[in-house]
């Protein structure tokens, strides 16, 4: 398969979407996870473990999203220079997710 074919674009854009969904899931899960840790778990030690796991997930998700490559221009999809934007368009060529 040719590297820049439309189906390859679609596949790579789908991968970026999945990474973004993972990151939003991690962000949205913080409060419920901490509340669950305090209510179901044994209080603060469980909440600390959940917070550490959450921080690792958020860091990994942020790195995965920030360093995604655009299938069209091969630049970083969400980064331009040192600034990051998690918008739905490539920061370099405006390719839409
Ligand atoms: Zn691009």
């Amino acid at each position: 398969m040719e590297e820049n074919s439309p189906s390859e674009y679609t596949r790579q854009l789908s991968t970026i979407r999945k990474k973004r969904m993972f990151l939003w899931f991690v962000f949205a899960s913080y409060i419920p996870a901490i509340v669950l840790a305090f209510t179901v778990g044994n209080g603060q030690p469980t909440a600390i473990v959940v917070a550490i796991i959450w921080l690792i997930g958020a860091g990994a998700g942020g790195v995965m999203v920030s360093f995604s490559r655009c299938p069209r221009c091969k630049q970083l999809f969400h980064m331009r220079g040192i600034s990051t934007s998690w918008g739905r368009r490539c920061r370099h060529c405006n390719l839409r997710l």
Side-chain angles (χ1 to χ4, degrees):
M1 180 183 296
E2 188 179 318
E3 190 174 318
N4 289 334
S5 67
S7 64
E8 185 62 16
Y9 272 25
T10 304
R11 190 189 65 74
Q12 291 178 6
L13 290 173
S14 172
T15 301
I16 293 173
R17 272 189 227 104
K18 287 177 187 165
K19 291 176 183 177
R20 290 167 52 97
M21 289 297 290
F22 171 76
L23 184 60
W24 289 119
F25 170 76
V26 169
F27 283 155
S29 70
Y30 181 71
I31 298 294
I34 290 296
V35 168
L36 204 64
F38 273 114
T39 56
V40 177
N42 59 351
Q44 195 169 7
T46 305
I48 290 172
V49 170
V50 168
I52 290 170
I53 291 169
W54 185 88
L55 271 175
I56 292 168
V63 167
M64 285 188 328
V65 169
S66 294
F67 290 96
S68 297
R69 293 263 171 204
C70 174
R72 183 160 65 190
C73 69
K74 307 296 183 207
Q75 299 288 322
L76 295 176
F77 194 90
H78 295 98
M79 289 182 70
R80 187 173 195 131
I82 59 169
S83 68
T84 299
S85 166
W86 294 337
R88 299 187 56 82
R89 291 184 179 270
C90 174
R91 298 283 313 268
H92 302 274
C93 69
N94 262 351
L95 179 65
R96 188 172 166 80
L97 276 178

